Amino acid sequence: MNDLRHLLKLDLMLLHRNNMFVLALVVSVIYVGVFYLLAPIVNLDLLVVILIFNDPVITGFLFAGVLWLFDKNQNTLQAVAVLPIRTELYLWSKALILTSLAVAISFIMAIAIRGLHFDGVRLLLGVGGATLLFAGLGFLLGARSLTFNQFLMYAIPFLVVMGVPFLALFDIGDMLWYQVFPSAGGLGLIKSAFVPGPLWKDGIYLLQLLAWNWLVWRYARRLTLTHFV
Amino acid sequence: MLNVDHVSYAYPGNAEDTLKDLSFGMESGEIFGFLGPSGSGKSTTQKLLYKLLPGYHGKVELMGKSLQDWDRSFYRQIGVSFELPNHYLKLTAEENLRFFAAFYDVPPTRIPELLDLVGLLPDAKKPVSDFSKGMKMRLNFVRAILHDPAMLFLDEPTSGLDPINANKIKALIRDLGARGKSIFITTHNMFDADQLCDRVVLLHEGKIMALDTPANLKMAYGSRVLNLTTAGEKGQAYQFPLEGLGSNEAFLSMIREQEISMMHSQEASLEEVFIRITGKELL
């Protein structure tokens, strides 16, 4: 527990020194601005779900990838590999920080847009689970990339594929059809936070999110640990 | 302290072994050099010894315990200084060390003491991104000894350092050896190895070609000669083998009949020994 505390402290410092907190806040302010700009012309429930879902994607996926690339470029993974700690804690620490950040910002955005008219538990599970998942995916792509440009080259088609379940928000099929996509579970739960649906569907979204997290983190852990050498 | 017995290792996907049947031992307080050109297997050996490369054949024991039986507490016993700098560039030197120190029982006074030892105390509050390569390498060294480990692995410890700081680091290494720390150095710098190491291994293409003290290796493989220069405007240089010098008539008549301006013995360098053994230059 002490080891994790030291790692969390390091990650907070690194996020701060790399201006990632400011960046996350600026992105959220832009999202809220976009919401009020588009509010008169689009379906508000739809818009709030799309904007809030983008947040864990950016915070989890991009930030995780960038942090991993910083570590790679600074050769710091080698130094961590010879510490008397379980090396996977190093990944968990970053994922926990990014998830907490995404959850906090999502709640700020939700309150700014909808006041207190949303389901906090579903939002927490949706954003938290999705950020954790996307952080794992960010580490995976970060581990396979040598530069930030290469990371972006992988990330763009990847994010397009992750965006497919958005079709369900526009009534092109039911969200349940899209559960094969890792993003669908989190998206379903975030939608339920603003537009409540049947409980059993939320159960399926949650199970999907857990299953994808288990799969991605299992693979991310194995792949990233080889990069410590 | 360390015992390596018939160890071979092949990287996954490689048909050929990178390390071939290595056997050697290290005593407590010994400074042990692992020398060879780039690609000879030095860094692979180090990584294997500090448990980053599983899947090797043979036996490795550290402090009487098989490497495979050690858990993560192994890393409390060893310190590693890597060949390249590895620090969080946005953090200061002090913050970097404080982060790593947090995982050991390091007294708070140790960080400034160690920074002072390598001449980095005035730069303790500067971000590492502002450091030169030499400063980052000195910080690497400090991090390796931060928790006062029993065994040190140093990869090219003087790489990127100016002569003054290289000497400072070498003096610290000698001091650590004198205090009973076992130090495993990998380098292609034969001069440093000669100055620092009690014994050295000459490694070539993953194989141990020779293992002995630098003096014995130079004696066994080098040719010892005496260089002599005569005085005057037309002073000439001569070279005589040290062996049988007392009965070498040419040498004896020269010191009898000519004024000598300079005379000194010359030993073979470790580099020459390496070339003689392997037929390859050190690159």
Side-chain angles (χ1 to χ4, degrees), chain B:
Chain B
M1 171 56 93
L2 176 71
N3 196 40
V4 175
D5 191 17
H6 296 292
V7 165
S8 300
Y9 177 78
Y11 280 101
N14 279 13
E16 201 190 340
D17 282 350
T18 303
L19 302 179
K20 294 159 189 153
D21 199 28
L22 305 186
S23 293
F24 58 90
M26 249 183 98
E27 300 298 323
S28 291
E30 186 173 14
I31 303 181
F32 192 84
F34 226 63
L35 320 183
S38 305
S40 60
K42 301 186 303 283
S43 297
T44 303
T45 307
Q46 269 219 0
K47 281 182 189 170
L48 189 148
L49 295 181
Y50 47 71
K51 262 175 91 78
L52 291 188
L53 290 181
Y56 58 87
H57 296 285
K59 268 203 251 172
V60 182
E61 278 186 355
L62 185 96
M63 296 165 124
K65 192 167 162 183
S66 165
L67 206 56
Q68 282 150 348
D69 294 337
W70 276 100
D71 59 12
R72 299 291 300 180
S73 66
F74 172 74
Y75 295 109
R76 292 189 186 282
Q77 308 299 331
I78 68 160
V80 183
S81 173
F82 294 91
E83 183 183 0
L84 294 172
N86 31 30
H87 310 287
Y88 297 100
L89 299 179
K90 295 273 181 179
L91 304 187
T92 66
E94 196 180 40
E95 285 167 340
N96 265 283
L97 292 178
R98 250 197 249 136
F99 165 66
F100 287 98
F103 300 100
Y104 309 96
D105 291 325
V106 177
T109 51
R110 184 147 170 89
I111 291 174
E113 272 169 22
L114 291 178
L115 284 171
D116 197 25
L117 269 184
V118 297
L120 285 177
L121 191 58
D123 305 295
K125 308 267 185 217
K126 281 187 193 160
V128 177
S129 55
D130 290 350
F131 279 23
S132 66
K133 187 182 175 204
M135 291 164 85
K136 287 176 190 164
M137 289 307 292
R138 281 184 274 156
L139 194 58
N140 260 18
F141 182 78
V142 168
R143 195 184 51 219
I145 60 172
L146 192 60
H147 53 295
D148 199 24
M151 171 136 197
L152 273 169
F153 290 93
L154 308 176
D155 197 353
E156 305 286 357
T158 57
S159 159
L161 298 183
D162 59 76
I164 294 170
N165 281 308
N167 281 335
K168 202 179 271 183
I169 294 293
K170 281 190 268 188
L172 286 171
I173 292 172
R174 271 189 226 105
D175 182 49
L176 287 164
R179 289 200 287 119
K181 308 289 179 192
S182 304
I183 304 170
F184 186 96
I185 297 176
T186 48
T187 183
H188 67 272
N189 187 329
M190 297 284 168
F191 180 69
D192 283 355
D194 199 358
Q195 283 191 320
L196 283 173
C197 299
D198 299 316
R199 286 191 303 152
V200 293
V201 153
L202 299 186
L203 191 72
H204 181 56
E205 293 177 350
K207 261 193 268 183
I208 291 181
M209 308 300 286
L211 193 176
D212 212 329
T213 63
N216 284 350
L217 285 173
K218 287 186 288 189
M219 192 88 85
Y221 294 96
S223 48
R224 293 158 65 234
V225 292
L226 181 99
N227 289 320
L228 181 151
T229 310
T230 53
E233 274 184 30
K234 288 187 179 172
Q236 282 193 313
Y238 298 89
Q239 197 171 66
F240 300 97
L242 273 180
E243 206 169 328
L245 192 65
S247 54
N248 186 324
E249 273 311 316
F251 168 73
L252 293 173
S253 65
M254 187 159 287
I255 55 170
R256 265 195 310 262
E257 293 157 17
Q258 301 215 26
E259 196 181 337
I260 309 296
S261 71
M262 203 161 56
M263 187 162 72
H264 58 90
S265 63
Q266 182 194 304
E267 285 180 318
S269 66
L270 272 182
E271 187 152 1
E272 283 162 347
V273 173
F274 187 86
I275 294 167
R276 191 123 176 221
I277 291 174
T278 64
K280 297 271 165 75
E281 299 255 354
L282 275 163
L283 294 171

Side-chain angles (χ1 to χ4, degrees), chain A residues 73-110:
Chain A
N73 293 334
Q74 295 169 155
N75 300 315
T76 38
L77 295 173
Q78 286 183 327
V80 171
V82 295
L83 279 174
I85 58 166
R86 281 167 45 226
T87 33
E88 54 262 47
L89 272 185
Y90 194 69
L91 295 184
W92 279 113
S93 159
K94 293 191 189 313
L96 279 176
I97 288 275
L98 294 176
T99 302
S100 309
L101 181 64
V103 166
I105 285 179
S106 298
F107 271 79
I108 292 169
M109 282 168 69

Side-chain angles (χ1 to χ4, degrees), chain A residues 164-224:
Chain A
V164 171
F166 277 102
L167 293 172
L169 298 178
F170 298 95
D171 294 329
I172 302 172
D174 192 277
M175 188 63 82
L176 288 178
W177 296 6
Y178 295 96
Q179 294 307 305
V180 69
F181 292 92
S183 49
L187 190 60
L189 280 170
I190 294 170
K191 186 187 171 199
S192 295
F194 297 98
V195 188
L199 196 62
W200 64 270
K201 271 194 175 182
D202 291 338
I204 289 175
Y205 298 148
L206 189 61
L207 283 176
Q208 189 265 14
L209 205 50
L210 287 172
W212 269 107
N213 262 301
W214 177 79
L215 197 71
V216 165
W217 273 95
R218 197 164 171 246
Y219 190 51
R221 186 185 157 272
R222 204 182 311 159
L223 185 81
T224 48

